[in-house]
Amino acid sequence: MNRTLKRSSILRMALGGVGDGDPDKAGREPFLVKALKIAMVVALYWFISITMVFLNKYLLDSPSLNLKAPLFVTFYQCLVTVALCKGLSLFSHVIPSNVVEFPSVRFDLKVLRSILPLSLVFIGMITFNNLCLMYLGVAFYTVGRCLSTVFNVLLSYLLLKQTTSLYALLSCGVILGGFCLGIDQEGQGGKLSWVGIFFGVLASACVSLNAIYTKKVLPAVDGSIWRLTFYNNVNACFLFLPLLVIFGDIGKLITFDKLTDVYFWSMMTLGGLFGFAIGYVTGLQIKFTSPLTHNISGTAKACAQTVLAVFFSEQSKSFLWWTSNIMVLGGSFCYTWVKGLEMKKTQEQPANTTNEEEKNVLKV
């Protein structure tokens, strides 16, 4: 890619299912070249996403590191994101737009106040997400945090009064069944953490609320997801400061024996870089494929992530444990497929209506 993908373009692609490239140019491109590009983008998304999860697990719960300060890890990643957004914004003024294209960002108290409700949900989402990973581990992480789809349906009805089709509800039922079966099997293996399950449920709820509030506050940042990312993380940095004191992360950090270790800070910064990069590669995958394919790729990635976690930890899992994962991933895939078909049908209806009107006019 010769330029950085605008996050505002990502939103348009997510809604419209197309990229912002030249369709004629894309049509002239040989099939093998297009296939190779798509494969490289999907592989990059998988690499960034899976590496980020394993890296966060190391920072949160590694016996060799023994930091035990999850709020500080999350706070530092927000700080890295703020620095990267500001740095890219400054670079975009001195570097040609065909090399780096990034919206201008600055500290605006009015904007910071307007997105504060979203920021509260955002810090809940990233904090509970990391705490779930810390207590459950990577292998059970997919199941432990699988209820975001179910909360999407529930909150869409309660807050937006949007109903859901029967097939989508059945898909949610499969996810719920896999979640319950997974808890049962993890408990029989003696590795279940109810604290981790609790944080996983909270994280799932916050993911759904975050999507709803994001749509509401986007006009405050001129529809730019990059600007929203910047202001959201600035708010998060300030909101985390009292939490670091209340929950004792500052005290743990003061007594941490690797506080001056270059390797430790390098890994912390790398975690922040991967957290920032996941937003870019997500948009890149949507651009080169489609929102539906992106969701399917994410489901397949979660499956690969689970297999890798079990392999590296040298654990032995029961048939029903694997069945619970298949149910969760299968239910998520079916929900994505059903919603994709419904969206396609909705888009086709106005066109059909227009054609019928034109026919009626011709008859007259």
Side-chain angles (χ1 to χ4, degrees):
M1 293 292 294
N2 292 326
R3 63 183 179 84
T4 301
L5 183 64
K6 278 187 176 180
R7 292 297 293 271
S8 54
S9 300
I10 294 172
L11 182 63
R12 289 196 297 271
M13 287 185 286
L15 293 174
V18 294
D20 59 351
D22 182 1
D24 294 330
K25 183 179 179 181
R28 292 193 301 268
E29 209 168 38
F31 172 77
L32 287 177
V33 175
K34 288 199 304 185
L36 182 61
K37 283 184 177 180
I38 290 172
M40 290 175 65
V41 168
V42 172
L44 180 63
Y45 169 78
W46 278 41
F47 171 75
I48 295 290
S49 183
I50 292 176
T51 304
M52 182 182 69
V53 172
F54 279 94
L55 182 56
N56 279 343
K57 178 61 178 176
Y58 168 77
L59 293 170
L60 292 164
D61 196 36
S62 170
S64 61
L65 199 61
N66 197 29
L67 177 58
K68 303 297 182 183
L71 291 181
F72 175 73
V73 172
T74 312
F75 162 77
Y76 187 80
Q77 291 177 346
C78 291
L79 201 61
V80 170
T81 298
V82 171
L84 286 170
C85 285
K86 191 62 181 175
L88 286 171
S89 177
L90 293 173
F91 276 128
S92 66
H93 294 299
V94 296
I95 297 177
S97 60
N98 63 332
V99 178
V100 174
E101 190 172 356
F102 199 89
S104 175
V105 295
R106 59 188 179 85
F107 292 94
D108 189 324
L109 289 176
K110 183 179 178 182
V111 176
L112 289 171
R113 283 196 301 268
S114 65
I115 68 165
L116 186 58
L118 172 64
S119 299
L120 292 171
V121 174
F122 174 71
I123 64 169
M125 179 182 72
I126 57 178
T127 301
F128 295 140
N129 194 60
N130 277 347
L131 287 170
C132 172
L133 180 60
M134 176 179 172
Y135 284 99
L136 291 183
V138 181
F140 197 62
Y141 177 65
T142 300
V143 174
R145 225 217 67 190
C146 70
L147 296 183
S148 55
T149 301
V150 178
F151 277 111
N152 277 340
V153 172
L154 183 63
L155 293 175
S156 293
Y157 178 75
L158 293 177
L159 300 180
L160 305 176
K161 305 303 179 185
Q162 294 179 353
T163 56
T164 306
S165 67
L166 176 62
Y167 289 119
L169 289 174
L170 289 174
S171 300
C172 289
V174 174
I175 295 172
L176 274 172
F179 177 72
C180 295
L181 179 61
I183 290 175
D184 175 70
Q185 291 301 301
E186 193 76 358
Q188 289 187 22
K191 297 181 180 297
L192 180 66
S193 168
W194 282 106
V195 175
I197 293 295
F198 175 70
F199 286 132
V201 172
L202 289 179
S204 299
C206 287
V207 167
S208 300
L209 284 172
N210 187 73
I212 292 172
Y213 278 104
T214 295
K215 292 178 183 178
K216 289 185 176 181
V217 303
L218 268 174
V221 290
D222 301 321
S224 171
I225 298 293
W226 273 138
R227 286 197 181 99
L228 183 60
T229 299
F230 173 74
Y231 288 115
N232 223 2
N233 280 274
V234 168
N235 271 345
C237 287
F238 285 113
L239 292 169
F240 268 122
L241 291 176
L243 296 177
L244 293 175
V245 177
I246 294 170
F247 291 97
D249 282 43
I250 294 295
K252 294 173 185 175
L253 195 64
I254 292 172
T255 59
F256 183 52
D257 60 351
K258 296 181 178 64
L259 190 60
T260 57
D261 192 335
V262 176
Y263 175 76
F264 164 69
W265 288 108
S266 298
M267 297 301 286
M268 287 283 287
T269 304
L270 189 62
L273 288 170
F274 271 89
F276 181 84
I278 191 65
Y280 173 74
V281 295
T282 295
L284 202 62
Q285 183 168 244
I286 292 172
K287 179 181 181 181
F288 278 86
T289 58
S290 69
L292 177 62
T293 306
H294 163 68
N295 287 331
I296 294 171
S297 172
T299 302
K301 186 273 306 180
C303 180
Q305 181 176 287
T306 301
V307 172
L308 284 172
V310 173
F311 175 77
F312 286 128
S313 61
E314 298 180 348
Q315 298 176 359
S316 178
K317 299 295 185 182
S318 67
F319 172 77
L320 288 178
W321 188 92
W322 286 108
T323 301
S324 70
N325 278 266
I326 292 171
M327 288 176 68
V328 166
L329 295 172
S332 300
F333 172 83
C334 290
Y335 179 85
T336 299
W337 189 263
V338 168
K339 297 302 285 185
L341 291 176
E342 290 175 356
M343 186 178 294
K344 184 179 179 181
K345 186 177 179 180
T346 303
Q347 290 173 347
E348 289 174 348
Q349 281 178 348
N352 293 336
T353 303
T354 303
N355 291 336
E356 288 296 327
E357 290 176 352
E358 289 176 351
K359 289 178 181 178
N360 290 335
V361 169
L362 289 173
K363 287 178 182 178
V364 173

